[in-house]
């Protein structure tokens, strides 16, 4: 183009919403994961935008094919943090002109169906139930811009859409009162939120894989999603979040959020920051005074109107010192 009033200041492309279900068979005991994957690339790709030069373009169709291939061969497929690192590392090491890969994995929630056995309920070996809308989220940035033998990866993980509600031990008082205030102070209310949580690990160095050993990807030991997520580990972030939500005598969403985040950092040595986004989903006691029916005393109200919108939105990031 002849004019110099603009330039390409950033460019990133790839495939979004690659849907994959992977089965891992241990004899008759089967495991499944269902992932929605986004894989985006950065690198020496400017000319594809500025000069219609497709010679630098790894087709998004190929990126999709690589995603399925790594899902097939990766020994890490059942752990989304590790699968995302494996995929991102393969993308940046395979193509000399690609310097960064951004991989997001959203894991849908499949749990084993509990069935009755001779000694009580057991988990079915190969039948699963979609156990809510909650998603486990992993975001990985694999950066080879300092060279293919000096690959650095940053991992952010967490969950979204974890819907919770408690019927007491939540209050909200002593907030700013002025001419705009209509909200009454309450020492007892319903507290409900749809939890979005993410936590970051410190960046890790990835040993250079060769094309030949694409199957042998080694995950750095610092990436220990097990301790942050694994349901068998008592300090896992999901459990800490749920326990704190249930047990905290909440003065506000803000105060409960801060407690949750601090506990995750205190109990997980490799976690550097914890962020929450907590919508305050309001439930309003229905006024039945016109019928002579009392339903407005906070701790005694029984009939509530769920309000879809608007909601409060309380967010914060807590960082390791
Ligand atoms: O926990 C709360 N935090 C707020 O900031 C707020 N604002 C509001 O109207 N209700 C609430 N509740």
């Amino acid at each position: 183009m002849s004019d110099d009033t603009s330039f390409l200041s950033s460019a990133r492309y790839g495939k979004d919403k690659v849907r994959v279900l992977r089965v891992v068979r241990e004899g008759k005991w089967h495991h499944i994961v269902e992932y929605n994957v986004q894989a985006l690339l950065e690198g020496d790709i400017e000319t594809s935008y500025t000069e219609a030069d497709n010679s630098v373009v790894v087709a998004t169709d190929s990126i999709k094919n690589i995603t399925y291939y790594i899902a097939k061969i990766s020994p890490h497929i059942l752990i989304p943090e590790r699968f995302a690192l494996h995929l991102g590392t393969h993308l940046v090491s395979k193509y000399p002109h690609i310097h960064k890969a951004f991989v997001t994995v959203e894991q849908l929630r499949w749990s084993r169906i509990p069935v009755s056995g001779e000694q009580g309920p057991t988990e079915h070996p190969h039948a699963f139930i979609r156990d809510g809308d909650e998603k486990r989220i992993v975001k990985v940035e694999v950066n080879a811009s300092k060279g293919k033998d000096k690959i650095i990866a940053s991992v952010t993980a967490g969950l979204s859409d974890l819907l919770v509600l408690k019927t007491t031990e939540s209050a909200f008082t002593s907030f700013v009162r002025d001419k705009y205030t209509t909200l009454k102070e309450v020492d007892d209310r319903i507290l409900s939120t749809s939890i979005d949580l993410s936590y970051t690990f410190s960046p890790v160095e990835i040993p250079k894989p060769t094309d030949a050993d694409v199957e042998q990807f080694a995950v750095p030991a610092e990436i220990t999603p097990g301790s942050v997520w694994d349901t068998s580990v008592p300090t896992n972030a999901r459990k800490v979040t749920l326990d704190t939500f249930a047990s905290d005598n909440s003065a506000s969403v803000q105060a409960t959020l801060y407690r949750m985040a601090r506990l995750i950092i205190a109990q997980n040595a490799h976690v550097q920051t914890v962020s929450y986004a907590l919508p305050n989903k309001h439930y309003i006691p229905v006024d039945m005074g016109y019928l002579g029916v009392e339903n407005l005393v906070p701790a005694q109200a029984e009939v509530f109107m769920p309000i879809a919108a608007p909601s409060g939105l309380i967010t914060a990031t807590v960082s390791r010192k």
Side-chain angles (χ1 to χ4, degrees):
M1 250 185 278
S2 57
D3 73 278
D4 59 359
T5 55
S6 62
F7 70 105
L8 183 71
S9 47
S10 73
R12 186 184 292 180
Y13 81 104
K15 208 64 152 185
D16 192 18
K17 301 186 175 72
V18 181
R19 298 192 57 179
V20 53
L21 175 85
R22 171 67 147 88
V23 181
V24 175
R25 297 184 180 85
E26 281 176 14
K28 289 189 182 302
W29 185 253
H30 295 183
H31 305 265
I32 58 166
V33 284
E34 182 170 346
Y35 294 151
N36 298 323
V37 182
Q38 181 191 73
L40 305 181
L41 305 179
E42 281 184 15
D44 300 329
I45 55 172
E46 292 84 353
T47 54
S48 66
Y49 295 81
T50 58
E51 293 168 31
D53 167 20
N54 289 346
S55 69
V56 296
V57 178
V58 177
T60 69
D61 191 61
S62 309
I63 298 171
K64 175 231 359 168
N65 292 342
I66 293 169
T67 303
Y68 286 126
Y69 175 65
I70 300 292
K72 169 75 177 164
I73 57 102
S74 180
H76 307 291
I77 184 65
L78 293 179
I79 301 192
E81 288 83 349
R82 297 179 177 181
F83 166 67
L85 279 174
H86 195 168
L87 174 59
T89 302
H90 185 55
L91 287 165
V92 296
S93 40
K94 169 100 183 123
Y95 299 104
H97 70 297
I98 297 299
H99 304 313
K100 289 187 184 175
F102 301 83
V103 178
T104 301
V105 176
E106 189 180 82
Q107 180 177 5
L108 306 184
R109 200 170 163 81
W110 286 113
S111 302
R112 290 181 190 282
I113 294 180
V115 287
S116 16
E118 277 164 21
Q119 275 121 32
T122 57
E123 295 189 317
H124 199 275
H126 61 250
F128 302 86
I129 178 170
R130 169 62 49 77
D131 195 8
D133 293 332
E134 178 194 346
K135 288 157 210 85
R136 178 173 173 180
I137 313 278
V138 169
K139 288 178 195 238
V140 159
E141 179 184 328
V142 182
N143 183 346
S145 53
K146 294 220 162 67
K148 304 291 180 186
D149 45 10
K150 198 155 179 40
I151 298 176
I152 304 292
S154 323
V155 178
T156 298
L159 54 83
S160 70
D161 303 319
L162 174 59
L163 186 57
V164 291
L165 181 152
K166 65 193 284 185
T167 50
T168 187
E169 295 192 357
S170 164
F172 189 61
T173 61
S174 310
F175 46 88
V176 172
R177 294 213 83 83
D178 60 20
K179 66 177 183 176
Y180 297 113
T181 313
T182 56
L183 187 69
K184 291 197 173 71
E185 304 210 350
V186 275
D187 59 4
D188 191 299
R189 65 175 179 173
I190 286 184
L191 181 59
S192 178
T193 185
S194 174
I195 298 171
D196 280 8
L197 157 66
S198 66
Y199 40 86
T200 61
F201 295 92
S202 6
V204 288
E205 196 164 328
I206 307 264
K208 181 186 164 72
T210 63
D211 199 28
D213 70 10
V214 54
E215 299 183 23
Q216 304 302 321
F217 178 71
V219 175
E222 295 92 317
I223 304 302
T224 53
S227 63
V228 191
W229 183 272
D230 189 342
T231 46
S232 65
V233 179
T235 56
N236 81 75
R238 183 174 188 273
K239 181 164 183 351
V240 168
T241 299
L242 290 175
D243 283 358
T244 310
F245 176 81
S247 63
D248 186 36
N249 205 340
S250 174
S252 64
V253 177
Q254 287 88 333
T256 301
L257 180 162
Y258 184 60
R259 272 191 106 127
M260 293 170 172
R262 279 170 58 87
L263 278 168
I264 292 173
I265 291 199
Q267 296 175 356
N268 294 279
H270 294 296
V271 169
Q272 298 305 310
T273 67
V274 174
S275 301
Y276 280 100
L278 302 180
N280 188 6
K281 298 169 82 69
H282 304 301
Y283 285 75
I284 312 292
V286 175
D287 185 353
M288 301 187 203
Y290 72 100
L291 294 174
V293 175
E294 172 50 56
N295 191 58
L296 293 182
V297 177
Q300 288 157 25
E302 292 176 319
V303 178
F304 294 83
M305 185 169 35
I307 303 292
S311 62
L313 181 61
I314 314 299
T315 72
T317 297
V318 175
S319 301
R320 187 175 293 283
K321 275 190 186 156

